[in-house]
Amino acid sequence: MAYKPEHAVDLDTGAIIAAEVHTADQGDTTTMPGTLTAATKQLTAVEAAPTPDNPAELVADKGYHARATLKALEDGPWKTRIAEPERKQCLRWHGDGAARRAVYNNRARLLSGVARAAFRLRTERVERGFALILDRGDMRRTWHRGGENVQKRYLIHIAGYNLGLIMRFLIGAGTTPATSGPGFGLAWRRRHTEWRAGLPVHRAGNLQQNRQASAKALKTI
């Protein structure tokens, strides 16, 4: 039996919000609603679920682009930025004005700088998660019987991946071997001192903002 995993990833942090394992005979546009429902459930648990008044950005590749999908998500809690595949023929709407509006609104959002930045982050963080879990984590194959057992096994890997992000955020190392490096002790003492002094904990990949936040906190102290 073949399965395919599908991730809902927070592009700001790289954390995997939801991970669903679907049978491989289902298309991306068919499985997306289930993954979005799981992501909404997880975000609701931490009081961070998107709403129509405060929607979240939904970034996906062209495999998820479908007229019915965009129509269903329009004016909802998800603001779509789904890549559109190239088509040689003209689109025919057959009187479906709602679908036409949803497709053109999504196309307009793809032209913004926000979309370009979001797709760069998607390439970096979403694909990195798949590589670490499926390749490094050896989840390309599994010997569990039944979709429920495969889902449970996969969620264990997801928990380990997210735990590594938390460790890297708190102590600067996401794995146990990384803590034995020569500079880890000094880095950990520096972070601990900053935390005790009330300075913001630095986040990787945003050095300019880290420096500005630290300077502002030092002036406050």
Side-chain angles (χ1 to χ4, degrees), residues 74-105:
E74 185 70 8
D75 297 327
W78 304 98
K79 182 185 293 185
T80 60
R81 298 185 192 271
I82 302 177
E84 185 173 356
E86 294 185 6
R87 295 185 176 90
K88 296 181 179 180
Q89 68 276 15
C90 296
L91 295 177
R92 302 184 183 276
W93 304 104
H94 303 287
D96 194 349
R100 181 179 183 275
R101 173 173 171 267
V103 170
Y104 282 125
N105 284 345

Side-chain angles (χ1 to χ4, degrees), residues 135-214:
D135 297 329
R136 295 290 298 275
D138 198 24
M139 279 298 293
R140 288 288 182 187
R141 294 178 178 271
T142 182
W143 285 264
H144 294 81
R145 179 178 297 178
E148 183 178 356
N149 291 329
V150 174
Q151 175 77 34
K152 291 178 182 178
R153 184 69 180 87
Y154 196 76
L155 287 179
I156 293 175
H157 277 260
I158 298 298
Y161 176 82
N162 286 338
L163 179 61
L165 293 178
I166 295 172
M167 291 173 59
R168 190 173 292 107
F169 181 82
L170 293 176
I171 65 175
T175 60
T176 303
T179 60
S180 60
F184 174 75
L186 180 60
W188 163 243
R189 286 194 296 272
R190 176 174 175 271
R191 286 173 177 265
H192 183 67
T193 302
E194 290 177 347
W195 175 76
R196 292 292 299 272
L199 296 177
V201 178
H202 287 188
R203 292 179 60 181
N206 206 349
L207 297 179
Q208 185 63 29
Q209 292 184 8
N210 288 339
R211 295 191 187 102
Q212 293 175 356
S214 297

Side-chain angles (χ1 to χ4, degrees), residues 122-133:
R122 179 197 168 276
T123 303
E124 174 188 346
R125 296 183 175 177
V126 176
E127 299 304 329
R128 178 192 297 166
F130 279 116
L132 291 175
I133 293 167

Side-chain angles (χ1 to χ4, degrees), residues 3-112:
Y3 299 92
K4 68 163 188 174
E6 199 168 65
H7 295 176
V9 181
D10 178 18
L11 293 182
D12 290 330
T13 62
I16 298 177
I17 306 301
E20 296 295 304
V21 177
H22 306 282
T23 54
D25 60 345
Q26 300 183 75
D28 292 338
T29 56
T30 303
T31 58
M32 175 185 275
T35 303
L36 289 181
T37 300
T40 302
K41 181 179 178 181
Q42 299 296 336
L43 292 172
T44 302
V46 295
E47 300 180 353
T51 63
D53 295 330
N54 186 23
E57 302 284 344
L58 174 59
V59 181
D61 62 31
K62 62 183 66 177
Y64 292 93
H65 190 282
R67 185 176 301 186
T69 300
L70 295 173
K71 181 180 176 180
L73 294 173
E74 185 70 8
D75 297 327
W78 304 98
K79 182 185 293 185
T80 60
R81 298 185 192 271
I82 302 177
E84 185 173 356
E86 294 185 6
R87 295 185 176 90
K88 296 181 179 180
Q89 68 276 15
C90 296
L91 295 177
R92 302 184 183 276
W93 304 104
H94 303 287
D96 194 349
R100 181 179 183 275
R101 173 173 171 267
V103 170
Y104 282 125
N105 284 345
N106 177 77
R107 184 181 297 174
R109 286 191 287 266
L110 290 175
L111 301 176
S112 67

